[in-house]
């Protein structure tokens, strides 16, 4: 940082290579977990709707907040608390059931 390299311990789930990222200031360090993708079929391949991953901004704007779940739809990033992420997951499950019902109706 500012020309001096320091050791920062990452959470066990962090997959970011902070040395390769060449971060110069503590506030620029964000720990990130592996992404899980929500995709939809179409064309020759699947198309991405959103990513989800763990995140931690230990020294920046969200310092002290603790780990959060990042939902990124390609145009905007949402940082959810664990409780908000569980609420989001419940809504996704309800949406999935509605899509299944629509698919069954369309197939009938």
């Amino acid at each position: 940082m500012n020309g001096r390299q320091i050791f920062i311990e990452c959470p066990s789930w962090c997959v970011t290579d902070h040395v390769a990222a060449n971060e110069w200031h503590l506030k620029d360090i964000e720990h990130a977990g592996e992404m899980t993708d929500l995709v939809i079929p179409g064309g020759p391949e699947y198309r991405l709707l959103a990513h989800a991953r763990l995140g931690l901004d230990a020294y920046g704007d969200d310092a002290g907040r603790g780990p959060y779940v990042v939902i990124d739809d390609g145009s905007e990033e949402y940082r959810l608390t664990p409780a908000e992420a569980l609420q989001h997951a419940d809504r996704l499950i309800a949406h999935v059931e509605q899509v299944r019902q629509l698919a069954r109706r369309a197939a009938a």
Side-chain angles (χ1 to χ4, degrees):
M1 303 298 146
N2 283 335
R4 294 173 44 192
Q5 204 170 42
I6 62 171
F7 174 77
I8 300 216
E9 188 169 351
C10 291
S12 61
W13 46 262
C14 182
V15 296
T16 302
D17 182 349
H18 297 287
V19 174
N22 198 21
E23 295 144 329
W24 283 83
H25 303 282
L26 282 174
K27 67 178 182 166
D28 296 332
I29 295 173
E30 181 183 3
H31 299 289
E34 289 189 41
M35 289 188 202
T36 180
D37 298 335
L38 176 61
V39 295
I40 189 166
E45 298 179 8
Y46 284 84
R47 292 179 284 179
L48 179 68
L49 289 180
H51 296 288
R53 66 173 173 81
L54 286 176
L56 177 64
D57 185 2
Y59 305 101
D61 295 338
D62 286 329
R65 180 176 178 196
Y68 44 80
V69 176
V70 177
I71 306 293
D72 186 345
D73 68 2
S75 64
E76 193 164 349
E77 181 179 283
Y78 305 91
R79 293 180 175 189
L80 307 178
T81 65
E84 291 169 334
L86 287 171
Q87 184 180 37
H88 175 63
D90 289 341
R91 289 179 177 164
L92 284 172
I93 291 168
H95 179 75
V96 165
E97 289 305 318
Q98 292 170 346
V99 171
R100 282 187 176 148
Q101 289 175 10
L102 293 171
R104 287 182 188 118
R105 282 189 212 159

